[in-house]
Amino acid sequence: MSLAEKIQELRTSHNMSQECLAELLGVSRQAVSKWETGQSKPGTDHLIHLAELFQISPKDLAAPDMAVSLLPDVKEEVNRMRGQAAKFKWFITGCLLLFLAAFSAALYTRFQGFSDITVFLCAAASAVFILSAFLPVLITILAFICRDCKKRGIRPAFYVFISLSAAGLLYYFLNRDRLAVKKD
């Protein structure tokens, strides 16, 4: 079994798209496609990352004519993560619906002449719900920034902080290669 076939088999057996694998490895989807068709081969660092990702040894991944077998617990882990993703979708949808209801109530109470405290409580509830809806997304972005900083040898504290804003996130992605510590 060639390296290209192994990468494709491992990716499909983990129910991953080429885009998903590319995102996890920090490469383009086209690069993954070229690896799977045998037009090019991944570098050593990507081979190691692939082996870690699929929980096999780099030797088993790179060795020609050696079939790879998935560990049953890896499949269970992938299925568990999918279940969590589905729960997050329902959580986010619920928070957004609650936000719309609380925001509508705040507008209604404001224009119907209710007391200021009632209007404030409805507005505060809508703010809590909208923040709750985006919390999983924010945590995912911050975790990615931390992993990326660690991989590149950048101290993550400042860049995690500034990536809380869209402008800060854009600044980090534009400058991360320049900030990376060169490894000799």
Side-chain angles (χ1 to χ4, degrees):
M1 177 179 275
S2 71
L3 177 61
E5 292 169 333
K6 289 179 190 178
I7 294 172
Q8 185 175 17
E9 181 181 324
L10 286 167
R11 179 185 60 78
T12 55
S13 64
H14 281 81
N15 296 320
M16 285 186 182
S17 65
Q18 287 182 339
E19 290 94 7
C20 179
L21 181 59
E23 186 178 318
L24 290 172
L25 295 173
V27 298
S28 68
R29 184 200 57 78
Q30 290 82 1
V32 173
S33 177
K34 286 181 180 180
W35 296 344
E36 289 183 355
T37 58
Q39 295 176 3
S40 69
K41 292 185 179 180
T44 307
D45 55 335
H46 289 121
L47 277 174
I48 292 170
H49 198 173
L50 278 167
E52 290 172 355
L53 185 66
F54 295 127
Q55 296 182 351
I56 62 173
S57 74
K59 181 181 175 185
D60 289 343
L61 182 62
D65 300 326
M66 180 178 270
V68 291
S69 61
L70 287 176
L71 301 171
D73 55 332
V74 174
K75 285 186 178 180
E76 290 174 14
E77 181 69 17
V78 169
N79 290 334
R80 186 186 64 77
M81 290 174 70
R82 283 206 172 129
Q84 286 180 341
K87 289 177 188 175
F88 271 127
K89 287 177 187 174
W90 284 110
F91 174 76
I92 291 171
T93 303
C95 286
L96 289 175
L97 289 173
L98 288 171
F99 161 74
L100 289 174
F103 188 72
S104 299
L107 288 176
Y108 177 78
T109 57
R110 174 71 176 109
F111 292 115
Q112 292 298 321
F114 283 79
S115 69
D116 288 343
I117 190 72
T118 305
V119 175
F120 173 77
L121 289 174
C122 289
S126 68
V128 166
F129 291 134
I130 196 69
L131 288 175
S132 297
F134 290 106
L135 190 63
V137 174
L138 183 64
I139 289 171
T140 302
I141 290 171
L142 293 178
F144 171 77
I145 296 292
C146 282
R147 281 193 312 268
D148 193 57
C149 284
K150 190 176 184 182
K151 185 169 63 172
R152 295 172 183 272
I154 303 171
R155 290 190 183 151
F158 176 72
Y159 295 102
V160 167
F161 177 73
I162 67 165
S163 64
L164 292 174
S165 70
L169 189 60
L170 181 63
Y171 172 80
Y172 173 76
F173 279 113
L174 291 175
N175 293 301
R176 67 184 181 167
D177 290 329
R178 185 178 53 82
L179 300 167
V181 175
K182 303 290 185 214
K183 296 180 183 175
D184 297 324

